[in-house]
């Protein structure tokens, strides 16, 4: 049984207000469904590409590939975390102010590369890596325990946001404590589920690399949820990372293979030269023998004998140099073979290390999820009626409204627990009798 409260302060409404709540709730459900369905199209938290805004913190790294040196040069002044200003711009070293509000990460990456190329006069556009370090915050107000500003995380839902704010704030303290604990545990379970999916996506990518596959094959737990944007993005990111690592390893191996081809050609040339010198030495030796016989018979001068000896010595010296060059080239070939093996082993070791870490994290995730489910089950056994008030569909005591900037216009919408929260949203929890008239007279999607 729920604790009794007087007047309109009851959780589920009493006889005096029940009929009014039932009438207005039908109106709210219809309006909320229509408005939120339209709002999803412009919701940056659900879009495939996140749209940047003020207070977003970006992590930027800029690289330039220099073929002559065979290295990737990092533009250190442009590496770091930068905050989007209230004007929607980034102030970056070297290139100055960059407008980013309303743009995606890919667009900002292209702008940074183009401006740096133009500012410095580079022949090729550098590659800029841009990712979200900290999302702009969202705000919770109204009948919650801890109203205020909170850090946004991807995939955040209304119920998770309310749990971060301590849950509903006006109710019987013991009942509120149980409900708050239930909200926290449910939020933890959702977070652990998203973490589990992310770890499984990474594990699939690592397994594909270790098995030498051409692409990542994701497990059914992920593919069965391929309509969810967050899950789709997980799989796309891991597939892209897999392709990048394979390509990087192949580039290093191919570079060493080309060096090996050059060394092999050089070795063949040296062997031909060695054979030619051997023939010349044989001829010079025969000539020296003839001269020695003539000198012994007094038929020629000793100066000719000296020249023949010098010629033989010079050819033998050149032949020795070629032999040493052959040995050096053979050593280079052996080292290139070892380097190619080392490159493959380096990438394999990195993958094996990551695989071991993923196994540990997945095991920890499973144990945490078991604990959260056990705590939630314990709460449900202690006060099933109290916790059912969090999910009653026919006569809710409270309504949650999100105020969101959509295309420059301020939009208000009534939302449910599992609807998405976007960065910059203002979430307000109000009593139903306060929300219903306002929504019914015009405004679930109007501006303010």
């Amino acid at each position: 049984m729920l604790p009794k409260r007087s007047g309109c302060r009851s959780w589920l409404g009493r006889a005096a207000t029940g009929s009014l709540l039932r009438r207005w709730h039908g109106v709210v459900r219809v309006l909320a469904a229509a408005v939120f369905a339209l709002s999803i199209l412009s919701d940056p938290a659900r879009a495939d590409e996140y749209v940047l805004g003020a207070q977003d913190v970006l992590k930027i790294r800029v690289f330039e590939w220099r073929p002559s040196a065979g290295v990737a040069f990092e533009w250190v002044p442009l590496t770091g975390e930068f905050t989007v200003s209230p004007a929607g711009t980034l102030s970056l070293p070297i290139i100055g102010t960059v407008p980013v509000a309303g743009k995606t990460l890919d667009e900002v990456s292209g702008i940074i590369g183009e401006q740096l190329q133009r500012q410095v006069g580079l022949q090729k556009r550098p590659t800029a890596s841009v990712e979200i370090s900290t999302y702009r915050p969202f705000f919770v107000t109204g009948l919650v325990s801890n109203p205020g500003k909170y850090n946004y995380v991807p995939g955040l839902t209304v119920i998770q946001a309310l749990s971060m704010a301590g849950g509903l704030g006006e109710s019987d303290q013991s009942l509120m404590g149980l409900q708050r604990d239930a909200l926290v545990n449910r939020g933890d379970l959702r977070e652990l589920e998203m973490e589990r999916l992310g770890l499984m996506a990474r594990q699939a990518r690592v397994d594909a690399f270790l098995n030498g596959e051409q692409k990542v094959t994701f497990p059914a737990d992920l593919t069965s949820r391929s309509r969810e944007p967050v899950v789709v993005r997980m799989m796309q990111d891991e597939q892209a990372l897999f392709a990048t690592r394979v390509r990087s390893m192949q580039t290093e191996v191919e570079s060493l293979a080309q060096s090996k081809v050059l060394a092999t050609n050089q070795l063949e040339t040296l062997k031909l030269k060695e054979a030619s010198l051997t023939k010349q030495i044989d001829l010079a030796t025969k000539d020296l023998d003839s001269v020695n016989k003539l000198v012994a018979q007094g038929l020629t001068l000793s100066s000719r004998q000296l020249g023949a000896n010098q010629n033989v010595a010079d050819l033998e010296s050149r032949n020795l140099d070629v032999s040493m060059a052959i040995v050096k080239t053979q050593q280079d070939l052996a080292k290139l073979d070892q380097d190619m093996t080392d490159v493959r082993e380096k990438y394999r070791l990195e993958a094996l290390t990551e695989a071991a870490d993923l196994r540990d994290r997945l095991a920890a995730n499973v144990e945490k999820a078991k604990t959260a489910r056990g705590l939630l089950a314990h709460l449900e056994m202690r006060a099933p009626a109290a916790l059912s008030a969090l999910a009653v569909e026919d006569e809710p005591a409270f309504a949650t409204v999100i105020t969101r900037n959509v295309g420059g216009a301020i939009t208000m919408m009534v939302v449910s627990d599992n609807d998405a929260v976007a960065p910059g949203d203002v979430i307000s929890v109000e009593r139903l009798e306060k929300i219903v008239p306002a929504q019914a007279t015009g405004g679930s999607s109007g501006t303010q």
Side-chain angles (χ1 to χ4, degrees), residues 130-148:
V130 183
E131 61 185 31
I132 300 291
S133 176
T134 305
Y135 291 86
R136 56 186 182 272
F138 67 95
F139 304 86
V140 184
T141 185
L143 301 176
V144 292
S145 295
N146 301 303

Side-chain angles (χ1 to χ4, degrees), residues 25 28 31-33 35-37 39-40 43 46 157-159 162 398-404 412-421 425-429 435 439 444:
H25 181 57
V28 172
L31 290 175
V35 171
F36 199 79
S39 71
I40 287 176
D43 182 357
R46 290 176 176 264
T157 62
V158 171
I159 193 170
L162 293 180
F398 301 93
T400 306
V401 178
I402 282 183
T403 303
R404 177 176 299 163
M412 295 178 62
M413 62 198 80
V414 178
V415 294
S416 62
D417 288 349
N418 294 322
D419 289 329
V421 176
D425 278 356
V426 178
I427 305 172
S428 178
V429 180
I435 294 296
Q439 302 302 322
S444 64

Side-chain angles (χ1 to χ4, degrees), residues 48-93:
D48 291 336
E49 292 290 339
Y50 177 73
V51 177
L52 297 172
Q55 300 186 55
D56 281 331
V57 180
L58 305 182
K59 183 178 181 181
I60 300 175
R61 298 185 71 186
V62 182
F63 291 90
E64 176 190 357
W65 177 251
R66 295 185 173 180
S68 59
V71 296
F73 174 78
E74 182 178 7
W75 289 84
V76 177
L78 291 172
T79 296
E81 293 187 348
F82 302 87
T83 303
V84 181
S85 70
T89 61
L90 289 176
S91 180
L92 300 178

